[in-house]
Amino acid sequence: MRVFGIDPGSVRTGYGCIDTDARRHHLVACGAITCPPRASLADRLEEIHTRLRGLISSSRPDCIAIENLFHARNVKSALVLGHARGVSVLAAVQAGVPIVEYTPAAIKSAIVGYGRADKRQMQQMVKLLLGLDAPPSPHDAADALAVAICHVQASGPLARLARGAQAGLPRTWRNMTPEQLARRQAP
């Protein structure tokens, strides 16, 4: 499975693409789309959209994972980030690829095991999970790769088992009653 992760930003948007079998992840591509900070917002949004469309088209992912908007103290920054996120979602929709979204806390928990991990911790864990010699740089690229890895972990067999346990189902087949097995096998 190939997952393309996006960390939206109005000045720098991170992207990262991985191939995975749900146990091992391999880096396909990563980087950041950097826009001149003094360029108009409209020009920056057009640049992000155009470049993301090209990157998504060339990598041909099975799924696109995007970091969801977080609560910001600065309303103006949140609105500008929302625009960057919007053109990122538009590029993904135009590619016809399924889109999933994760909050920053969910991504950090999936990668580091702690929802308030800092950028350096995230970069180091992404480096380890992908078997890289050095942490991905800039941190926006590492964040985008973390979004992609988070999706794999959130949709993998361990996550399905955990969701089953939350729904009151046993964690293993061995502990299931015949009635529970029959319900699971029913169409």
Side-chain angles (χ1 to χ4, degrees), residues 10 24 34 37 70 78 85 100 102 105 112 114 126 134-135 143 150 163 173 187:
S10 62
R24 291 196 174 99
T34 304
F70 63 94
R85 191 175 168 286
V100 292
Y102 297 97
V112 179
Y114 175 60
V126 168
D143 289 349
C150 173
R163 285 193 295 274
W173 288 103

Side-chain angles (χ1 to χ4, degrees), residues 24-106:
R24 291 196 174 99
H25 317 301
H26 302 282
L27 176 66
V28 174
C30 73
I33 300 167
T34 304
C35 301
R38 296 193 193 274
S40 71
L41 178 61
D43 289 341
R44 287 185 278 157
L45 294 175
E46 180 184 31
E47 178 73 11
I48 293 166
H49 178 261
T50 302
R51 300 260 318 269
L52 274 178
R53 283 211 46 188
L55 290 163
I56 292 168
S57 176
S58 65
S59 63
R60 299 174 46 195
D62 299 308
C63 180
I64 296 175
I66 300 176
E67 184 174 316
N68 204 344
L69 193 60
F70 63 94
H71 299 287
R73 291 188 179 129
N74 185 331
V75 175
K76 184 177 179 183
S77 295
L79 288 171
V80 171
L81 181 59
H83 289 310
R85 191 175 168 286
V87 297
S88 300
V89 170
L90 178 61
V93 168
Q94 289 174 333
V97 179
I99 304 165
V100 292
E101 301 175 33
Y102 297 97
T103 64

